[in-house]
Amino acid sequence: MTNLQPAEFDSHAAGYDGGMGNPLKAMAGENLDDFVAVKVRWLLRRWPDLATRADLSILDYGCGAATLPRLLRAAGVQARLTGTDVSTGMLAEARRTWPADSPPPAFHVQDGVATGLPSDSFDLIIISAVLHHVPLNQRAAVYQELHRLLRPGGRLVVFEHNPWNPVTSYVVAHSPIDRDAILLPPPEVKSALSTTGWREVRAGHLMFLPPRLGALATAAERLFGWLPMGGQYAVTASK
Ligand SMILES: C[S@@+](CC[C@H](N)C(=O)[O-])C[C@H]1O[C@@H](n2cnc3c(N)ncnc32)[C@H](O)[C@@H]1O
């Protein structure tokens, strides 16, 4: 399958750093890995068996430079990994930066929202920091594609920037990679999933303190995970 249209992120792909040029973001964490690692720890706290089950199949939809799958692997996750994206440039960066001593995920370029991958093929699908780049009129089609790809009983995790957090809103408003972003508050994701056939739709909240603060930031997340004021949020759902 080929995506003939140049994608927005092709121009950000070489040396992709997730907008670390923003001074506030650079104060909060050392590099993009610091921010994505918060999501990896959150996933492993919620589903500790992810670390031990080699039989699982995980899709990172809109994987970009594959930071999240790379950190999942570094955290000991043995599952089969797949990454898809509309940007051939970002997928090239993912391949270029994947560690030589670790088998890479299967990477696939999307044709718009469509992956072309078989139905019911993943136990866990993660879509992280992607939906705010998807035009409003294509978001329902993304939810449908993810629903098609997930196995019955599988889990979806949507990670998004929280527009109710003033620091997040400020950083997004001042980041070149987010020039065309339209942020979604948690209820938008919850209601979109609830009305497109997903079950057990729930929101959780993360990144209350800068990732640079390490264990203190994790402790804050454990205490305040119910409060919709974190820098990021996660909506989980099942099929
Ligand atoms: C901010 S980056 C996030 C990358 C990665 N998920 C992460 O967390 O590091 C946004 C990514 O979404 C991709 N993207 C935008 N629209 C998409 C779509 N409709 N389907 C899949 N990926 C898309 C972009 O090409 C880019 O790689």
Side-chain angles (χ1 to χ4, degrees):
M1 186 190 312
T2 47
N3 180 6
L4 298 174
Q5 301 290 325
E8 180 196 349
F9 267 74
D10 287 345
S11 60
H12 302 299
Y16 180 72
D17 70 356
M20 289 304 299
N22 184 291
L24 206 51
K25 195 161 179 178
M27 271 198 307
E30 193 164 329
N31 50 38
L32 177 61
D33 282 17
D34 268 6
F35 290 87
V36 178
V38 172
K39 300 174 189 176
V40 168
R41 288 195 290 272
W42 187 92
L43 287 166
L44 289 170
R45 279 204 304 278
R46 228 175 212 54
W47 297 294
D49 66 339
L50 275 183
T52 52
R53 299 247 331 249
D55 59 317
L56 297 178
S57 195
I58 301 177
L59 169 65
D60 186 12
Y61 182 96
C63 66
T67 314
L68 196 142
R70 179 168 52 73
L71 296 181
L72 281 173
R73 209 41 116 218
V77 170
Q78 302 294 313
R80 285 185 304 282
L81 300 175
T82 300
T84 65
D85 204 288
V86 290
S87 163
T88 50
M90 290 297 273
L91 291 175
E93 187 67 3
R95 288 192 190 89
R96 189 185 71 77
T97 53
W98 191 266
D101 58 357
S102 159
F107 290 118
H108 299 270
V109 61
Q110 296 177 205
D111 186 357
V113 302
T115 59
L117 297 173
S119 300
D120 300 339
S121 42
F122 296 97
D123 301 288
L124 172 65
I125 298 180
I126 301 161
I127 172 168
S128 170
V130 173
L131 279 169
H132 60 268
H133 295 292
V134 176
L136 297 176
N137 64 0
Q138 290 175 24
R139 289 180 183 172
V142 171
Y143 298 127
Q144 275 161 20
E145 175 68 352
L146 302 181
H147 195 270
R148 183 185 73 74
L149 293 168
L150 196 68
R151 285 206 178 108
R155 285 275 169 179
L156 169 72
V157 181
V158 179
F159 287 115
E160 266 302 328
H161 300 331
N162 184 4
W164 294 342
N165 177 293
V167 178
T168 296
S169 290
Y170 180 87
V171 170
V172 168
H174 294 85
S175 289
I177 61 167
D178 289 320
R179 199 174 292 123
D180 299 322
I182 304 174
L183 294 186
L184 335 62
E188 182 181 324
V189 179
K190 284 179 76 179
S191 109
L193 291 174
S194 303
T195 53
T196 49
W198 294 86
R199 298 183 300 114
E200 302 171 291
V201 180
R202 312 220 194 299
H205 303 274
L206 52 160
M207 226 176 277
F208 294 86
L209 290 176
R212 220 181 247 290
L213 296 183
L216 194 60
T218 305
E221 226 163 83
R222 286 178 190 273
L223 271 177
F224 297 114
W226 52 273
L227 184 69
M229 287 307 294
Q232 300 280 313
Y233 66 90
V235 175
T236 61
S238 61
K239 177 170 169 181

